Coordinates of all heavy atoms in Angstrom, one line a residue:
M218 N 115.4 -15.8 -8.0 CA 115.4 -16.3 -6.6 C 114.5 -17.5 -6.6 O 113.6 -17.7 -7.4 CB 114.8 -15.2 -5.7 CG 113.3 -15.0 -5.7 SD 112.7 -13.7 -4.6 CE 113.3 -14.1 -3.0
I219 N 114.8 -18.4 -5.6 CA 113.9 -19.5 -5.3 C 113.4 -19.3 -3.9 O 114.1 -19.0 -3.0 CB 114.7 -20.9 -5.3 CG1 115.3 -21.1 -6.7 CG2 113.8 -22.0 -4.9 CD1 116.2 -22.3 -6.8
V220 N 112.1 -19.5 -3.8 CA 111.4 -19.4 -2.5 C 110.8 -20.8 -2.2 O 110.1 -21.3 -3.0 CB 110.4 -18.3 -2.5 CG1 109.5 -18.4 -1.3 CG2 111.1 -16.9 -2.5
A221 N 111.1 -21.3 -1.0 CA 110.4 -22.4 -0.5 C 109.4 -21.9 0.6 O 109.9 -21.2 1.5 CB 111.4 -23.4 0.2
F222 N 108.2 -22.2 0.4 CA 107.2 -21.7 1.4 C 106.2 -22.8 1.8 O 105.9 -23.7 1.0 CB 106.5 -20.4 1.0 CG 105.5 -20.6 -0.1 CD1 104.1 -20.5 0.3 CD2 105.8 -20.7 -1.4 CE1 103.2 -20.6 -0.7 CE2 104.9 -20.7 -2.4 CZ 103.5 -20.7 -2.0
S223 N 105.7 -22.7 3.0 CA 104.7 -23.6 3.5 C 103.6 -22.8 4.2 O 104.0 -21.9 5.0 CB 105.3 -24.6 4.5 OG 104.4 -25.4 5.1
L224 N 102.4 -23.1 3.9 CA 101.3 -22.4 4.6 C 100.6 -23.4 5.5 O 100.3 -24.5 5.1 CB 100.3 -21.9 3.5 CG 100.8 -20.8 2.6 CD1 99.8 -20.6 1.5 CD2 101.1 -19.6 3.3
S225 N 100.3 -22.9 6.7 CA 99.6 -23.8 7.7 C 98.3 -23.1 8.1 O 98.2 -22.2 8.9 CB 100.5 -23.9 8.9 OG 101.7 -24.6 8.6
P226 N 97.2 -23.5 7.5 CA 95.9 -23.0 7.8 C 95.4 -23.6 9.1 O 95.7 -24.7 9.5 CB 95.0 -23.3 6.7 CG 95.6 -24.5 6.0 CD 97.1 -24.4 6.3
M227 N 94.6 -22.8 9.8 CA 93.9 -23.3 11.0 C 92.8 -24.2 10.4 O 92.2 -23.9 9.4 CB 93.3 -22.1 11.7 CG 93.0 -22.3 13.1 SD 92.4 -20.7 13.7 CE 92.2 -21.0 15.3
S228 N 92.5 -25.3 11.1 CA 91.5 -26.3 10.6 C 90.4 -26.5 11.5 O 90.6 -26.7 12.7 CB 92.2 -27.6 10.2 OG 91.2 -28.6 9.8
N229 N 89.2 -26.5 11.0 CA 88.0 -26.8 11.8 C 87.6 -28.3 11.6 O 86.7 -28.8 12.2 CB 86.8 -26.0 11.4 CG 87.0 -24.5 11.9 OD1 87.7 -24.3 12.9 ND2 86.4 -23.6 11.2
D230 N 88.3 -28.9 10.6 CA 88.0 -30.3 10.3 C 88.4 -31.2 11.5 O 89.5 -31.1 12.1 CB 88.9 -30.7 9.1 CG 88.5 -32.1 8.6 OD1 88.7 -33.1 9.4 OD2 88.2 -32.2 7.4
P231 N 87.5 -32.1 11.9 CA 87.8 -32.9 13.1 C 89.0 -33.8 12.9 O 89.6 -34.2 13.9 CB 86.5 -33.8 13.3 CG 85.6 -33.5 12.1 CD 86.1 -32.3 11.4
T232 N 89.4 -34.1 11.7 CA 90.6 -34.9 11.5 C 91.8 -34.1 11.4 O 92.9 -34.6 11.3 CB 90.4 -35.7 10.1 OG1 90.5 -34.8 9.0 CG2 89.2 -36.5 10.0
G233 N 91.7 -32.8 11.4 CA 92.8 -31.9 11.3 C 93.3 -31.6 9.8 O 94.3 -31.0 9.6
S234 N 92.5 -32.2 8.9 CA 92.9 -32.0 7.5 C 92.9 -30.6 7.0 O 92.0 -29.8 7.4 CB 91.9 -32.8 6.6 OG 92.3 -32.7 5.2
V235 N 93.9 -30.2 6.2 CA 94.0 -28.9 5.7 C 94.1 -29.0 4.1 O 94.5 -28.0 3.5 CB 95.1 -28.1 6.2 CG1 94.9 -27.8 7.7 CG2 96.5 -28.8 6.0
T236 N 93.7 -30.1 3.6 CA 93.9 -30.4 2.2 C 93.3 -29.4 1.3 O 93.9 -28.9 0.3 CB 93.4 -31.8 1.8 OG1 94.1 -32.8 2.6 CG2 93.5 -32.2 0.4
D237 N 92.0 -29.1 1.5 CA 91.4 -28.1 0.6 C 92.0 -26.7 0.6 O 92.2 -26.1 -0.5 CB 89.9 -28.0 0.9 CG 89.1 -29.3 0.6 OD1 89.6 -30.1 -0.2 OD2 88.0 -29.5 1.2
A238 N 92.4 -26.3 1.7 CA 93.0 -24.9 1.8 C 94.4 -24.9 1.2 O 94.7 -24.0 0.4 CB 93.1 -24.5 3.3
V239 N 95.1 -26.0 1.4 CA 96.5 -26.1 0.8 C 96.3 -26.2 -0.7 O 97.1 -25.6 -1.5 CB 97.3 -27.2 1.4 CG1 98.6 -27.4 0.7 CG2 97.6 -26.9 2.9
A240 N 95.4 -27.0 -1.2 CA 95.2 -27.2 -2.6 C 94.9 -25.8 -3.2 O 95.3 -25.5 -4.4 CB 94.0 -28.1 -2.9
A241 N 94.1 -25.0 -2.6 CA 93.8 -23.6 -3.1 C 95.1 -22.8 -3.3 O 95.3 -22.1 -4.3 CB 92.9 -22.9 -2.2
A242 N 96.1 -23.0 -2.4 CA 97.3 -22.3 -2.5 C 98.2 -22.8 -3.6 O 98.8 -22.1 -4.4 CB 98.1 -22.4 -1.1
V243 N 98.2 -24.1 -3.7 CA 99.0 -24.8 -4.8 C 98.4 -24.4 -6.2 O 99.1 -24.2 -7.1 CB 99.1 -26.3 -4.6 CG1 99.7 -27.0 -5.8 CG2 99.9 -26.6 -3.3
R244 N 97.1 -24.3 -6.2 CA 96.4 -23.9 -7.5 C 96.9 -22.5 -7.9 O 97.2 -22.3 -9.1 CB 94.9 -23.9 -7.3 CG 94.2 -23.7 -8.6 CD 92.6 -23.9 -8.4 NE 92.3 -25.2 -7.9 CZ 91.9 -25.6 -6.7 NH1 91.7 -24.6 -5.8 NH2 91.7 -26.8 -6.4
V245 N 97.0 -21.6 -7.0 CA 97.6 -20.2 -7.3 C 99.0 -20.3 -7.8 O 99.3 -19.6 -8.8 CB 97.5 -19.4 -6.0 CG1 98.4 -18.1 -6.2 CG2 96.1 -19.0 -5.6
V246 N 99.8 -21.1 -7.2 CA 101.2 -21.3 -7.7 C 101.2 -21.8 -9.1 O 101.9 -21.3 -10.0 CB 102.0 -22.2 -6.7 CG1 103.4 -22.5 -7.3 CG2 102.2 -21.5 -5.4
R247 N 100.5 -22.9 -9.4 CA 100.4 -23.5 -10.7 C 99.9 -22.6 -11.7 O 100.4 -22.5 -12.9 CB 99.6 -24.8 -10.6 CG 100.3 -25.9 -9.8 CD 99.6 -27.1 -9.8 NE 100.3 -28.2 -9.1 CZ 99.9 -29.4 -8.9 NH1 98.7 -29.8 -9.3 NH2 100.7 -30.2 -8.2
E248 N 98.9 -21.8 -11.4 CA 98.4 -20.8 -12.4 C 99.3 -19.6 -12.6 O 99.1 -18.9 -13.6 CB 97.0 -20.3 -11.9 CG 95.9 -21.4 -12.0 CD 94.6 -21.1 -11.3 OE1 94.5 -20.0 -10.7 OE2 93.7 -21.9 -11.4
S249 N 100.3 -19.4 -11.8 CA 101.2 -18.3 -11.9 C 102.1 -18.4 -13.2 O 102.6 -17.4 -13.7 CB 102.1 -18.2 -10.7 OG 103.1 -19.2 -10.7
G250 N 102.3 -19.6 -13.6 CA 103.2 -19.9 -14.8 C 104.7 -19.9 -14.4 O 105.5 -20.1 -15.3
L251 N 105.0 -19.6 -13.2 CA 106.4 -19.7 -12.8 C 106.9 -21.1 -12.5 O 106.0 -22.0 -12.2 CB 106.6 -18.9 -11.5 CG 106.4 -17.4 -11.6 CD1 106.5 -16.7 -10.2 CD2 107.3 -16.7 -12.6
P252 N 108.2 -21.4 -12.7 CA 108.7 -22.7 -12.4 C 108.4 -23.0 -10.9 O 108.6 -22.2 -10.1 CB 110.2 -22.6 -12.7 CG 110.3 -21.5 -13.6 CD 109.2 -20.5 -13.2
H253 N 107.9 -24.2 -10.7 CA 107.6 -24.6 -9.3 C 107.6 -26.1 -9.1 O 107.6 -26.8 -10.1 CB 106.2 -24.1 -8.9 CG 105.1 -24.7 -9.8 ND1 104.8 -24.2 -11.0 CD2 104.4 -25.8 -9.6 CE1 103.9 -25.0 -11.5 NE2 103.6 -25.9 -10.7
E254 N 107.6 -26.5 -7.9 CA 107.4 -27.9 -7.5 C 106.8 -27.9 -6.1 O 107.1 -27.0 -5.3 CB 108.7 -28.7 -7.5 CG 109.8 -28.1 -6.6 CD 111.2 -28.8 -6.8 OE1 111.4 -29.4 -7.8 OE2 111.9 -28.8 -5.8
T255 N 106.0 -28.9 -5.9 CA 105.4 -29.1 -4.6 C 105.8 -30.5 -4.0 O 105.8 -31.5 -4.7 CB 103.9 -29.0 -4.7 OG1 103.5 -27.7 -5.2 CG2 103.2 -29.2 -3.3
N256 N 106.2 -30.5 -2.7 CA 106.5 -31.8 -2.1 C 105.6 -31.9 -0.8 O 104.7 -31.1 -0.6 CB 108.0 -31.9 -1.8 CG 108.5 -30.9 -1.0 OD1 108.0 -30.6 0.1 ND2 109.6 -30.2 -1.4
A257 N 105.9 -32.9 0.0 CA 105.0 -33.1 1.2 C 105.1 -32.0 2.2 O 104.1 -31.8 3.0 CB 105.5 -34.4 1.8
M258 N 106.1 -31.1 2.2 CA 106.3 -30.1 3.2 C 106.3 -28.7 2.7 O 105.9 -27.8 3.4 CB 107.6 -30.4 4.0 CG 107.7 -31.7 4.7 SD 106.5 -31.7 6.1 CE 107.2 -30.5 7.2
F259 N 106.7 -28.5 1.5 CA 106.9 -27.1 0.9 C 106.5 -27.0 -0.5 O 106.5 -28.0 -1.2 CB 108.4 -26.6 1.0 CG 108.8 -26.3 2.4 CD1 109.3 -27.3 3.3 CD2 108.6 -25.0 2.9 CE1 109.7 -26.9 4.6 CE2 109.0 -24.7 4.2 CZ 109.6 -25.7 5.0
T260 N 106.3 -25.8 -1.0 CA 106.2 -25.5 -2.4 C 107.3 -24.6 -2.7 O 107.6 -23.6 -2.0 CB 104.8 -24.8 -2.7 OG1 103.8 -25.8 -2.5 CG2 104.8 -24.4 -4.2
N261 N 108.1 -25.0 -3.8 CA 109.2 -24.2 -4.2 C 108.8 -23.4 -5.5 O 108.1 -24.0 -6.4 CB 110.4 -25.1 -4.5 CG 110.9 -25.8 -3.3 OD1 110.9 -25.4 -2.2 ND2 111.2 -27.1 -3.6
I262 N 109.2 -22.2 -5.6 CA 108.8 -21.4 -6.8 C 110.0 -20.5 -7.1 O 110.7 -20.0 -6.2 CB 107.5 -20.6 -6.5 CG1 107.1 -19.8 -7.7 CG2 107.7 -19.6 -5.3 CD1 105.7 -19.2 -7.6
E263 N 110.2 -20.3 -8.4 CA 111.4 -19.6 -8.9 C 111.0 -18.4 -9.8 O 110.1 -18.6 -10.6 CB 112.3 -20.5 -9.7 CG 113.6 -19.8 -10.2 CD 114.6 -20.8 -10.8 OE1 114.2 -21.9 -11.1 OE2 115.7 -20.4 -11.0
G264 N 111.6 -17.3 -9.6 CA 111.3 -16.1 -10.5 C 112.0 -14.9 -9.9 O 112.8 -15.0 -9.0
E265 N 111.6 -13.8 -10.3 CA 112.1 -12.5 -9.8 C 111.3 -12.2 -8.5 O 110.2 -12.6 -8.3 CB 111.9 -11.4 -10.8 CG 112.6 -11.6 -12.1 CD 114.1 -11.6 -11.9 OE1 114.6 -10.8 -11.1 OE2 114.8 -12.4 -12.5
W266 N 112.0 -11.4 -7.7 CA 111.5 -11.1 -6.3 C 110.0 -10.7 -6.3 O 109.2 -11.3 -5.6 CB 112.3 -9.9 -5.7 CG 111.9 -9.5 -4.4 CD1 110.9 -8.7 -4.1 CD2 112.5 -9.9 -3.1 NE1 110.8 -8.5 -2.7 CE2 111.7 -9.3 -2.1 CE3 113.5 -10.8 -2.8 CZ2 112.0 -9.5 -0.8 CZ3 113.8 -10.9 -1.4 CH2 113.1 -10.3 -0.4
D267 N 109.7 -9.6 -7.1 CA 108.3 -9.1 -7.1 C 107.3 -10.1 -7.5 O 106.2 -10.2 -7.0 CB 108.2 -7.8 -7.9 CG 108.9 -6.7 -7.3 OD1 109.2 -6.7 -6.1 OD2 109.2 -5.7 -8.0
E268 N 107.6 -10.9 -8.6 CA 106.6 -11.9 -9.1 C 106.5 -13.1 -8.1 O 105.4 -13.5 -7.9 CB 107.0 -12.3 -10.5 CG 108.3 -13.0 -10.6 CD 108.6 -13.3 -12.1 OE1 107.9 -13.0 -13.0 OE2 109.7 -13.8 -12.3
V269 N 107.6 -13.5 -7.5 CA 107.5 -14.6 -6.6 C 106.7 -14.2 -5.3 O 105.8 -14.9 -4.8 CB 108.9 -15.1 -6.2 CG1 108.8 -16.1 -5.0 CG2 109.5 -15.8 -7.4
M270 N 107.0 -13.0 -4.8 CA 106.4 -12.6 -3.6 C 104.9 -12.3 -3.8 O 104.1 -12.5 -2.9 CB 107.1 -11.3 -3.0 CG 108.4 -11.7 -2.4 SD 108.3 -13.0 -1.2 CE 110.1 -13.1 -0.7
A271 N 104.5 -11.8 -5.0 CA 103.1 -11.6 -5.3 C 102.4 -13.0 -5.4 O 101.2 -13.0 -4.9 CB 103.0 -10.9 -6.7
V272 N 103.0 -14.0 -5.8 CA 102.4 -15.3 -5.9 C 102.2 -15.9 -4.4 O 101.2 -16.4 -4.1 CB 103.2 -16.3 -6.7 CG1 102.6 -17.8 -6.6 CG2 103.2 -15.9 -8.2
V273 N 103.2 -15.7 -3.6 CA 103.1 -16.1 -2.2 C 102.0 -15.4 -1.5 O 101.1 -16.0 -0.8 CB 104.4 -15.9 -1.4 CG1 104.3 -16.1 0.1 CG2 105.5 -16.8 -2.0
K274 N 101.8 -14.1 -1.8 CA 100.7 -13.3 -1.2 C 99.4 -13.8 -1.7 O 98.5 -14.0 -0.8 CB 100.9 -11.8 -1.5 CG 99.7 -11.0 -0.8 CD 99.8 -9.6 -1.1 CE 98.7 -8.8 -0.4 NZ 97.4 -9.4 -0.2
R275 N 99.3 -14.1 -3.0 CA 98.0 -14.6 -3.5 C 97.7 -16.0 -2.9 O 96.5 -16.3 -2.6 CB 98.0 -14.7 -5.0 CG 97.9 -13.3 -5.6 CD 97.6 -13.3 -7.1 NE 98.4 -14.2 -7.9 CZ 99.6 -13.9 -8.5 NH1 100.0 -12.6 -8.4 NH2 100.2 -14.7 -9.3
A276 N 98.7 -16.8 -2.7 CA 98.5 -18.1 -2.1 C 98.0 -18.0 -0.6 O 97.1 -18.7 -0.2 CB 99.8 -18.9 -2.1
V277 N 98.6 -17.0 0.1 CA 98.2 -16.8 1.5 C 96.7 -16.3 1.5 O 95.9 -16.7 2.3 CB 99.1 -15.7 2.2 CG1 98.5 -15.3 3.5 CG2 100.5 -16.3 2.4
D278 N 96.4 -15.4 0.5 CA 95.0 -14.9 0.4 C 94.1 -16.0 0.1 O 92.9 -16.0 0.7 CB 94.9 -13.8 -0.6 CG 95.6 -12.5 -0.3 OD1 96.0 -12.3 0.9 OD2 95.9 -11.7 -1.2
A279 N 94.4 -17.0 -0.7 CA 93.6 -18.1 -1.0 C 93.3 -18.9 0.2 O 92.2 -19.4 0.4 CB 94.2 -18.9 -2.1
V280 N 94.3 -19.2 1.0 CA 94.2 -20.0 2.2 C 93.4 -19.2 3.3 O 92.5 -19.7 4.0 CB 95.5 -20.4 2.8 CG1 95.4 -21.0 4.2 CG2 96.2 -21.4 1.8
S281 N 93.6 -17.9 3.3 CA 92.8 -17.0 4.3 C 91.3 -17.0 4.0 O 90.5 -16.8 4.9 CB 93.3 -15.6 4.2 OG 94.7 -15.5 4.6
A282 N 91.0 -17.3 2.8 CA 89.5 -17.4 2.4 C 88.9 -18.6 3.1 O 87.7 -18.5 3.4 CB 89.3 -17.5 0.9
A283 N 89.6 -19.6 3.5 CA 89.1 -20.8 4.1 C 89.5 -20.9 5.6 O 89.0 -21.7 6.3 CB 89.6 -22.0 3.4
S284 N 90.4 -20.0 6.1 CA 90.9 -20.1 7.4 C 91.1 -18.7 8.0 O 91.7 -17.9 7.4 CB 92.2 -20.9 7.4 OG 92.8 -20.9 8.7
P285 N 90.6 -18.5 9.3 CA 90.8 -17.2 9.9 C 92.2 -16.9 10.3 O 92.6 -15.8 10.7 CB 89.9 -17.3 11.1 CG 89.8 -18.8 11.4 CD 89.9 -19.5 10.1
R286 N 93.1 -17.9 10.3 CA 94.5 -17.8 10.7 C 95.4 -18.6 9.9 O 95.1 -19.8 9.7 CB 94.6 -18.1 12.2 CG 95.9 -17.8 12.8 CD 95.9 -18.1 14.3 NE 97.1 -17.6 14.9 CZ 97.3 -17.7 16.2 NH1 96.4 -18.2 17.0 NH2 98.4 -17.2 16.8
V287 N 96.5 -18.1 9.4 CA 97.4 -18.8 8.5 C 98.8 -18.6 9.0 O 99.2 -17.4 9.2 CB 97.3 -18.3 7.0 CG1 98.2 -19.0 6.1 CG2 95.8 -18.4 6.6
G288 N 99.6 -19.7 9.1 CA 101.0 -19.6 9.4 C 101.8 -19.7 8.1 O 101.4 -20.5 7.2
L289 N 102.8 -18.9 8.0 CA 103.7 -18.9 6.8 C 105.1 -19.1 7.2 O 105.6 -18.4 8.0 CB 103.5 -17.6 6.0 CG 104.5 -17.3 4.9 CD1 104.3 -18.3 3.7 CD2 104.4 -15.9 4.4
V290 N 105.7 -20.2 6.6 CA 107.2 -20.4 6.7 C 107.8 -20.1 5.3 O 107.3 -20.7 4.3 CB 107.5 -21.8 7.2 CG1 109.0 -22.1 7.2 CG2 106.9 -22.1 8.5
L291 N 108.8 -19.3 5.2 CA 109.4 -18.9 3.9 C 110.9 -18.9 4.0 O 111.4 -18.3 5.0 CB 108.8 -17.6 3.5 CG 109.2 -17.1 2.1 CD1 108.0 -16.4 1.5 CD2 110.4 -16.2 2.2
K292 N 111.5 -19.5 3.1 CA 113.0 -19.5 3.0 C 113.3 -19.1 1.5 O 112.7 -19.6 0.6 CB 113.6 -20.9 3.3 CG 115.1 -20.9 3.2 CD 115.6 -22.3 3.6 CE 117.1 -22.3 3.5 NZ 117.7 -23.6 3.9
A293 N 114.3 -18.2 1.4 CA 114.6 -17.7 0.0 C 116.1 -17.9 -0.3 O 116.9 -17.6 0.6 CB 114.2 -16.3 -0.1
D294 N 116.4 -18.3 -1.5 CA 117.7 -18.3 -2.0 C 117.8 -17.2 -3.1 O 117.2 -17.3 -4.2 CB 118.0 -19.6 -2.7 CG 119.4 -19.7 -3.3 OD1 120.2 -18.7 -3.2 OD2 119.8 -20.8 -3.8
I295 N 118.4 -16.1 -2.7 CA 118.4 -14.9 -3.6 C 119.8 -14.8 -4.3 O 120.8 -14.6 -3.6 CB 118.2 -13.6 -2.8 CG1 116.8 -13.8 -2.0 CG2 118.2 -12.4 -3.6 CD1 116.6 -12.8 -0.9
R296 N 119.8 -15.1 -5.6 CA 121.0 -15.1 -6.3 C 120.8 -14.5 -7.7 O 120.5 -15.1 -8.7 CB 121.5 -16.6 -6.5 CG 122.9 -16.8 -7.0 CD 123.2 -18.2 -7.0 NE 124.6 -18.4 -7.4 CZ 125.2 -19.5 -7.7 NH1 124.4 -20.6 -7.8 NH2 126.4 -19.6 -8.1
P297 N 121.0 -13.1 -7.7 CA 120.7 -12.4 -9.0 C 121.6 -12.9 -10.1 O 122.7 -13.4 -10.0 CB 121.2 -11.0 -8.6 CG 121.0 -10.9 -7.2 CD 121.4 -12.3 -6.6
G298 N 121.0 -12.9 -11.3 CA 121.7 -13.4 -12.5 C 121.6 -14.8 -12.8 O 122.1 -15.3 -13.8
Y299 N 120.9 -15.6 -12.0 CA 120.8 -17.0 -12.2 C 119.3 -17.4 -12.3 O 118.5 -16.9 -11.6 CB 121.3 -17.8 -11.0 CG 122.8 -17.8 -11.0 CD1 123.5 -16.7 -10.4 CD2 123.6 -18.8 -11.5 CE1 124.9 -16.7 -10.4 CE2 125.0 -18.8 -11.5 CZ 125.6 -17.7 -10.9 OH 127.0 -17.7 -10.9
D300 N 119.0 -18.2 -13.3 CA 117.6 -18.8 -13.4 C 117.7 -20.2 -13.7 O 118.8 -20.8 -13.9 CB 116.8 -18.0 -14.4 CG 117.3 -18.0 -15.8 OD1 118.3 -18.7 -16.0 OD2 116.7 -17.4 -16.7
G301 N 116.7 -20.9 -13.7 CA 116.7 -22.4 -13.9 C 117.3 -23.2 -12.8 O 117.7 -24.4 -13.0
Q302 N 117.5 -22.6 -11.6 CA 118.2 -23.2 -10.5 C 117.3 -24.2 -9.8 O 117.8 -25.1 -9.0 CB 118.7 -22.2 -9.6 CG 119.8 -21.3 -10.2 CD 121.0 -22.1 -10.7 OE1 121.6 -22.8 -10.0 NE2 121.2 -22.1 -12.0
L303 N 116.0 -24.1 -10.0 CA 115.1 -25.1 -9.3 C 115.5 -26.5 -9.7 O 115.5 -27.4 -8.8 CB 113.7 -24.8 -9.7 CG 112.5 -25.4 -8.9 CD1 112.6 -24.9 -7.4 CD2 111.2 -25.0 -9.5
S304 N 115.8 -26.7 -10.9 CA 116.2 -28.1 -11.3 C 117.8 -28.2 -11.4 O 118.3 -29.3 -11.1 CB 115.7 -28.4 -12.7 OG 116.0 -27.5 -13.6
A305 N 118.5 -27.1 -11.7 CA 119.9 -27.2 -11.8 C 120.6 -27.6 -10.5 O 121.6 -28.3 -10.5 CB 120.5 -25.9 -12.4
K306 N 120.1 -27.1 -9.4 CA 120.7 -27.4 -8.1 C 120.7 -28.9 -7.9 O 121.6 -29.5 -7.4 CB 120.0 -26.7 -7.0 CG 120.3 -25.2 -6.9 CD 119.5 -24.6 -5.8 CE 120.3 -23.7 -5.0 NZ 119.6 -23.2 -3.8
V307 N 119.5 -29.5 -8.2 CA 119.3 -30.9 -8.0 C 120.2 -31.7 -8.9 O 120.8 -32.7 -8.5 CB 117.8 -31.3 -8.1 CG1 117.6 -32.8 -8.0 CG2 117.0 -30.6 -7.1
E308 N 120.3 -31.3 -10.2 CA 121.1 -31.9 -11.2 C 122.6 -31.9 -10.7 O 123.3 -33.0 -10.9 CB 120.9 -31.3 -12.5 CG 119.6 -31.5 -13.2 CD 119.3 -30.6 -14.4 OE1 120.2 -29.9 -14.8 OE2 118.2 -30.6 -14.8
R309 N 123.1 -30.9 -10.2 CA 124.5 -30.8 -9.7 C 124.7 -31.8 -8.6 O 125.7 -32.5 -8.6 CB 124.8 -29.4 -9.3 CG 125.0 -28.4 -10.4 CD 125.6 -27.1 -10.0 NE 124.8 -26.4 -9.1 CZ 123.9 -25.5 -9.4 NH1 123.6 -25.2 -10.7 NH2 123.2 -24.8 -8.5
I310 N 123.8 -32.0 -7.7 CA 123.9 -33.0 -6.6 C 123.9 -34.4 -7.2 O 124.7 -35.2 -6.8 CB 122.8 -32.8 -5.6 CG1 122.9 -31.4 -4.9 CG2 122.8 -33.9 -4.5 CD1 124.2 -31.2 -4.1
E311 N 122.9 -34.6 -8.1 CA 122.9 -36.0 -8.7 C 124.2 -36.3 -9.4 O 124.7 -37.4 -9.4 CB 121.7 -36.1 -9.6 CG 120.3 -36.0 -8.9 CD 120.1 -37.2 -8.0 OE1 120.7 -38.3 -8.1 OE2 119.2 -37.0 -7.1
E312 N 124.7 -35.3 -10.1 CA 126.0 -35.5 -10.8 C 127.1 -35.9 -9.9 O 127.9 -36.8 -10.1 CB 126.3 -34.3 -11.7 CG 127.6 -34.5 -12.5 CD 127.9 -33.2 -13.3 OE1 127.0 -32.5 -13.7 OE2 129.1 -33.0 -13.6
A313 N 127.2 -35.1 -8.8 CA 128.2 -35.4 -7.8 C 128.1 -36.8 -7.2 O 129.1 -37.4 -6.9 CB 128.1 -34.3 -6.7
L314 N 126.8 -37.2 -7.0 CA 126.6 -38.6 -6.4 C 127.0 -39.6 -7.4 O 127.6 -40.6 -7.0 CB 125.1 -38.7 -6.0 CG 124.7 -37.9 -4.8 CD1 123.2 -37.9 -4.7 CD2 125.4 -38.4 -3.6
R315 N 126.7 -39.4 -8.7 CA 127.2 -40.4 -9.7 C 128.7 -40.4 -9.8 O 129.3 -41.5 -10.0 CB 126.6 -40.0 -11.1 CG 125.1 -40.3 -11.3 CD 124.7 -40.2 -12.8 NE 124.9 -38.8 -13.2 CZ 124.0 -37.8 -13.1 NH1 122.9 -38.1 -12.5 NH2 124.3 -36.6 -13.6
D316 N 129.3 -39.3 -9.8 CA 130.8 -39.2 -9.9 C 131.5 -39.9 -8.7 O 132.6 -40.3 -8.8 CB 131.2 -37.7 -10.0 CG 130.8 -37.1 -11.3 OD1 130.4 -37.8 -12.2 OD2 130.9 -35.8 -11.4
A317 N 130.8 -39.9 -7.6 CA 131.4 -40.5 -6.3 C 131.3 -42.0 -6.3 O 131.9 -42.6 -5.5 CB 130.7 -39.9 -5.1
Q318 N 130.6 -42.6 -7.3 CA 130.5 -44.1 -7.3 C 131.6 -44.7 -7.9 O 132.3 -44.5 -8.7 CB 129.2 -44.5 -8.0 CG 128.0 -44.0 -7.2 CD 126.7 -44.4 -7.9 OE1 126.7 -44.9 -9.0 NE2 125.6 -44.2 -7.3

């Protein structure tokens, strides 16, 4: 499965910055050893249901350590029997775009 998730910590920073709390969550994902990528809005992580959800929970716990309230947005692509789709999906789109030229 691939999960795209975003954590929104409550911030006491006068600028509204949540950088440190979000960095703590991304650190959890990177240390998991699972395939992942982070962009400006979401972190994507690929693996089996239990291992991915455990990482998401640990990421929420890491943010909760710095924030009394955390919002979580999660979207999952559950497709048993497939792996390596984090990059394969993008490669298929890039190939289709090249073929269309």
Side-chain angles (χ1 to χ4, degrees):
M218 77 184 303
I219 297 173
V220 165
F222 74 101
S223 176
L224 297 171
S225 300
M227 205 175 182
S228 175
N229 291 330
D230 186 301
T232 67
S234 176
V235 294
T236 300
D237 291 341
V239 172
V243 172
R244 188 173 300 110
V245 166
V246 172
R247 290 183 177 176
E248 291 173 353
S249 75
L251 295 176
H253 64 275
E254 60 186 22
T255 299
N256 59 51
M258 297 292 293
F259 285 90
T260 294
N261 301 320
I262 185 169
E263 182 174 14
E265 296 299 320
W266 179 279
D267 289 340
E268 61 188 358
V269 169
M270 291 305 180
V272 172
V273 171
K274 181 181 183 327
R275 288 195 309 271
V277 170
D278 290 345
V280 172
S281 295
S284 175
R286 188 174 188 176
V287 180
L289 168 66
V290 174
L291 187 142
K292 181 177 180 179
D294 180 1
I295 303 161
R296 193 174 184 196
Y299 288 82
D300 60 3
Q302 295 303 297
L303 197 60
S304 59
K306 286 176 136 188
V307 176
E308 289 168 8
R309 286 191 296 271
I310 296 299
E311 293 296 338
E312 183 179 333
L314 291 168
R315 282 191 302 273
D316 293 347
Q318 292 178 355

